[in-house]
Amino acid sequence: MDGHGPVSIPAVVVGWAETVKTERGLPTGGARPSVASALAYLAAHVDHLAGAEWIGDAVDELAAVARACRAVACGVPELCTGPPSCRDRASWVTGT
């Protein structure tokens, strides 16, 4: 959760990729892209994101996605690179 409710990682990432496509006049719709392909698309068009009026909203929402990913990863000790409290929680979950 990001303080405003659960974060839908696919909805946020794919949504911003679709926004960029729409603004660039590219076709949208069809088969829903994967999160990985939407992230790759955003990375390839970071110049457009940087100049967009809505960049602040995109940054806020993508930061919430990053926090959600870190929260999930903290349940997997080998993926947890967060603060000690995160690592402690991961140890508690696994009993190590």
Side-chain angles (χ1 to χ4, degrees):
M1 297 190 48
D2 66 353
H4 302 287
V7 173
S8 170
I9 294 167
V12 170
V13 174
V14 171
W16 284 114
E18 294 292 315
T19 297
V20 172
K21 286 180 182 179
T22 298
E23 286 194 356
R24 292 200 154 190
L26 300 172
T28 60
R32 187 163 176 91
S34 68
V35 171
S37 66
L39 285 170
Y41 183 84
L42 290 172
H45 296 276
V46 72
D47 59 324
H48 182 82
L49 276 86
E53 291 179 16
W54 41 259
I55 187 62
D57 293 334
V59 167
D60 291 345
E61 289 186 20
L62 293 169
V65 165
R67 286 190 300 275
C69 290
R70 279 194 293 284
V72 170
C74 280
V76 183
E78 58 272 16
L79 297 179
C80 184
T81 59
S85 61
C86 172
R87 289 190 296 275
D88 293 343
R89 186 175 74 198
S91 295
W92 178 80
V93 167
T94 61
T96 58

